[in-house]
Amino acid sequence: MDTLRGMQQDKLRNVAIIAHVDHGKTTLVDQFFRQSGMFRDNQQVAERMMDSMDLERERGITIASKNGAFHYRDYRINIIDTPGHADFGGQVERVLKMADGALLLVDAQEGPMPQTYFVLKKALSLHLTVIVVINKIDKPAARPHWAVDQVFDLFVKLGAPDHLLDFPVVYACSRDGYAMDELDGERRDLTPLCEKIVNYIPAPTGFADAPLQMLVSSIDYSPYLGRLGIGKISGGTLNVNREIAVVLRDGSIRPARITQVFRFDGTQREAVDVAGTGEIVAVAGMDEVTVGCTYTDPDAPRPLPPMDIDPPTISMNLIPNDSPFAGREGTYVTSRHLAERLRRETMSDVALHLEALGDGSGFRVSGRGELHLSILIERLRREGYEFQVTRPQVIFRYEGGVRLEPYEELTVDAAEEHMGSVIEKLGIRRGLMVGMETANGMARLIYRIPTRGLLGFRSEFLTETKGMGVMNYVFAEYGPYAGDFRHRSRGVLVSMADGMTVAYALFNLQDRGRLFCGPGMPVYRGQIVGEHCRENDLSVNPTRGKKLTNVRAAGSDENVILSPPVEMSLEDYIAYINDDELVEVTPKALRLRKRAARNG
């Protein structure tokens, strides 16, 4: 395609791929790129090409939305891959503004899940044309017709207009790269799905001769060009070296000059001189650009309304590290370093809110859930930041003097034999069962539960279901305060000394509870080294060695046999701590400590 002029508008299709987590979105995008002739036959191509972050590849989930494009016949199809986890819903809300239609992927066995409800609701609110893709039809327990019926019921429940209720359906297997109009069709390639996109998804609207308008829906970064604003051109054209006006989120207008314009080609960016109405492009030229800004004509500035973003439901404090080990393991350790990095993050993640604490000791960061905030913390840690984290707190609202708290819709899938213990655990956490289904020895429970009740529940749930259960949740609404309930039933073992842990001391502490550290690890006074077997906290000395004497007697020297220490992830640590405790986060280690032990 000629890079000196814009694409023909009627040959463009801008499509978002939306689905619940692990229903096959990123794998489908891989197959689109492979079958479009983008790669040589013998070229080595990584799986899940759009999952470019280390954390995405490690966890097998999409965290940040991304743009790509491929050619089908003489059409250019821009693809927007979106996250499937509810905690990253802010990514979905903002990038749907770039799309003119959506592919809704639904697992043929599981049917619509909580996040399916969330993303479809956002797509319908923007009046997007939706093509339903029943994916993973190769599963032995697949029930595609049932899945279609469930999707129809979901459309009706969400109040979709009549013309959207007659949605086109495609049956597919993303992993094997085929799609069919009918279940008994030929299993060849993705041509039926590409035909549906071309025929059902409308071309982008807008007038090429109108003044320039482009809403920035996403942010990328280039080490050579700085920040790149990504969005769809709603009107006019965009060309290199053009003087434009940038309307910021607060309404102020700044002049800027376009230094580079990029289209997307596969997963790469392709430099062009001109881009026309309807194209999705990345634009370099202004470092202050944030999500929600509008690029417009300086002579006739017409800002577009920024996208509506659901409010955050959970917050936690990030404060500089002041433990005895402060500064030993991190590169960026001061409050100023933390402030700069967090402000940079809020420019690209509009679902993240930041405010300085009143005493100037750190920052309150608010997001959609535990995973949303823990992914941010893990990214900071890998970049060399060192800081401390408090226990997550839900964000309450007050209406008419009544305290309200956020509630989630929780869906639990597990074997029937584990349902009794799961129901008991959720009852303690103020969960209210609103639905239950059983089939083939498996049960699905649907709960309405306070967000507070889900903090720290995932690890308990996996233990109860022997690692085989699946839980998913999505924000439902604010409801009445559910009352107080206990967070943790046991106390902790707190070190009373500085030094290195000794196997002999840990051996004698094993009867007191579960240990979080092994021998030969540095600890300090106030650090949490284990969980007590009783409700109260206990001060212990894990550094005390055995007294040496010259007296030996048979049987007086025991063999020191240590059980392996408990290994917890960052999310487990954050969910575990009480209000009087902190998680110390450094690039090399995670530690738990008591707040009262700050400053040694």
Side-chain angles (χ1 to χ4, degrees):
M1 186 56 61
D2 188 1
T3 61
L4 298 178
R5 57 187 174 82
M7 284 285 301
Q8 286 182 312
Q9 202 168 322
D10 61 340
K11 297 297 184 182
L12 284 171
R13 297 293 184 272
N14 298 322
V15 185
I17 300 188
I18 57 178
H20 183 80
V21 65
D22 200 30
H23 277 197
K25 299 179 301 300
T26 307
T27 306
L28 180 63
V29 174
D30 278 6
Q31 292 293 347
F32 276 138
F33 291 166
R34 290 172 192 272
Q35 295 185 21
S36 66
M38 191 175 296
F39 307 111
R40 302 188 312 272
D41 291 340
N42 63 345
Q43 186 171 342
Q44 292 291 321
V45 182
E47 288 188 13
R48 303 200 323 271
M49 287 175 274
M50 298 290 266
D51 284 350
S52 55
M53 291 169 52
D54 290 344
L55 282 169
E56 290 177 321
R57 292 195 173 279
E58 289 170 18
R59 294 168 181 254
I61 60 173
T62 301
I63 294 171
S65 62
K66 300 175 194 69
N67 296 82
F70 67 96
H71 290 275
Y72 173 71
R73 299 203 320 241
D74 55 345
Y75 291 87
R76 183 185 189 86
I77 301 176
N78 287 308
I79 291 289
I80 306 157
D81 188 18
T82 63
H85 199 286
D87 281 19
F88 308 111
Q91 300 265 350
V92 179
E93 290 164 334
R94 60 184 174 79
V95 298
L96 284 181
K97 284 276 189 176
M98 292 189 278
D100 299 299
L103 300 183
L104 176 67
L105 264 68
V106 177
D107 188 298
Q109 177 183 337
E110 297 178 358
M113 296 289 279
Q115 183 70 357
T116 314
Y117 175 93
F118 173 81
V119 294
L120 181 59
K121 179 182 177 182
K122 296 297 178 184
L124 293 177
S125 69
L126 294 171
H127 310 292
L128 298 182
T129 301
V130 179
I131 297 173
V132 175
V133 181
I134 304 299
N135 196 25
K136 302 189 180 184
I137 59 170
D138 59 322
K139 279 187 172 182
R143 37 185 182 171
H145 293 303
W146 171 85
V148 173
D149 291 342
Q150 294 296 308
V151 172
F152 181 82
D153 291 345
L154 186 57
F155 270 76
V156 174
K157 182 179 177 181
L158 290 171
D162 291 345
H163 71 280
L164 290 182
L165 289 176
D166 189 21
F167 49 79
V169 179
V170 176
Y171 303 95
C173 174
S174 297
R175 186 189 62 191
D176 296 336
Y178 63 81
M180 306 172 294
D181 291 321
E182 302 293 339
L183 274 173
D184 55 358
E186 184 182 357
R187 302 188 173 190
R188 192 174 69 252
D189 54 24
L190 292 176
T191 299
L193 181 52
C194 292
E195 285 293 329
K196 283 280 196 301
I197 292 173
V198 167
N199 295 330
Y200 283 91
I201 303 294
T205 56
F207 299 98
D209 55 354
L212 171 67
Q213 277 187 311
M214 178 185 131
L215 181 68
V216 176
S217 300
S218 188
I219 296 288
D220 202 353
Y221 181 79
S222 163
Y224 307 106
L225 299 169
R227 295 172 70 79
L228 303 175
I230 300 173
K232 181 177 76 172
I233 302 173
S234 303
T237 56
L238 199 61
N239 51 285
V240 176
N241 293 326
R242 177 176 176 177
E243 300 290 338
I244 64 166
V246 179
V247 183
L248 303 180
R249 289 207 310 233
D250 60 4
S252 60
I253 300 178
R254 304 282 176 83
R257 181 172 160 273
I258 301 301
T259 56
Q260 282 277 25
V261 178
F262 297 96
R263 273 189 206 135
F264 292 92
D265 187 29
T267 58
Q268 306 299 315
R269 292 192 294 261
E270 171 193 29
V272 294
D273 292 328
V274 179
T277 301
E279 292 196 61
I280 295 176
V281 291
V283 181
M286 185 178 184
D287 279 341
E288 293 180 56
V289 65
T290 61
V291 171
C293 292
T294 302
Y295 290 165
T296 185
D297 193 305
D299 299 326
R302 295 167 55 199
L304 290 163
M307 62 285 295
D308 294 325
I309 300 292
D310 288 343
T313 57
I314 284 184
S315 68
M316 60 172 61
N317 296 344
L318 271 60
I319 56 181
N321 189 12
D322 59 0
S323 81
F325 292 172
R328 292 187 186 181
E329 300 170 347
T331 306
Y332 308 105
V333 298
T334 67
S335 181
R336 181 176 59 83
H337 284 137
L338 200 57
E340 290 174 357
R341 179 63 183 85
L342 290 172
R343 288 198 181 96
R344 208 159 64 237
E345 188 69 22
T346 57
M347 289 183 178
S348 56
D349 188 350
V350 288
L352 196 72
H353 291 199
L354 175 68
E355 57 184 292
L357 296 177
D359 57 2
S361 62
F363 302 90
R364 185 175 188 241
V365 180
S366 305
R368 288 287 178 82
E370 276 182 290
L371 188 61
H372 186 197
L373 296 179
S374 67
I375 289 291
L376 169 65
I377 292 167
E378 182 64 31
R379 286 171 58 197
L380 296 182
R381 178 191 177 203
R382 295 186 180 199
E383 291 170 17
Y385 289 83
E386 182 178 308
F387 51 94
Q388 297 176 127
V389 179
T390 64
R391 185 182 169 221
Q393 303 287 343
V394 300
I395 299 172
F396 296 108
R397 281 187 189 171
Y398 292 88
E399 293 182 7
V402 178
R403 178 159 63 162
L404 305 177
E405 67 173 315
Y407 280 76
E408 312 278 340
E409 181 180 303
L410 170 69
T411 302
V412 169
D413 290 291
E416 288 184 20
E417 62 192 272
H418 300 136
M419 282 298 103
S421 58
V422 171
I423 290 170
E424 181 184 351
K425 295 281 185 186
L426 289 171
I428 294 171
R429 293 167 173 267
R430 304 285 198 277
L432 176 66
M433 189 190 297
V434 295
M436 181 176 181
E437 300 173 11
T438 57
N440 303 321
M442 297 293 290
R444 171 174 292 181
L445 304 179
I446 302 173
Y447 271 82
R448 183 176 180 271
I449 186 169
T451 303
R452 285 184 301 142
L454 288 178
L455 296 179
F457 176 65
R458 187 178 296 275
S459 58
E460 277 188 34
F461 172 72
L462 291 175
T463 301
E464 293 294 335
T465 59
K466 296 181 171 55
M468 300 302 291
V470 178
M471 58 175 281
N472 295 283
Y473 57 87
V474 65
F475 173 73
E477 60 183 349
Y478 269 82
Y481 180 64
D484 298 328
F485 51 87
R486 194 165 188 177
H487 166 59
R488 194 174 72 203
S489 60
R490 294 180 179 176
V492 290
L493 303 175
V494 185
S495 174
M496 63 169 68
D498 301 332
M500 302 289 285
T501 55
V502 176
Y504 175 78
L506 297 178
F507 174 69
N508 289 313
L509 290 176
Q510 285 185 145
D511 293 338
R512 299 287 189 176
R514 302 187 305 160
L515 297 176
F516 296 159
C517 58
M521 294 179 64
V523 295
Y524 54 80
R525 186 169 170 267
Q527 183 176 332
I528 297 171
V529 296
E531 181 181 69
H532 194 198
C533 58
R534 298 185 179 179
E535 295 183 3
N536 61 304
D537 295 343
L538 182 67
S539 294
V540 298
N541 186 357
T543 67
R544 186 180 62 190
K546 184 178 180 181
K547 292 288 185 283
L548 299 179
T549 71
N550 60 357
V551 178
R552 292 290 181 269
S556 64
D557 291 327
E558 300 174 292
N559 288 327
V560 174
I561 302 174
L562 289 176
S563 300
V566 177
E567 291 188 9
M568 292 201 287
S569 65
L570 174 62
E571 286 96 338
D572 294 333
Y573 276 127
I574 291 172
Y576 182 80
I577 57 175
N578 275 330
D579 292 334
D580 64 337
E581 296 162 357
L582 298 167
V583 181
E584 181 183 350
V585 180
T586 76
K588 295 182 180 178
L590 297 170
R591 302 182 186 93
L592 300 182
R593 61 179 302 201
K594 284 290 183 181
R595 265 186 184 236
R598 289 174 67 182
N599 297 317

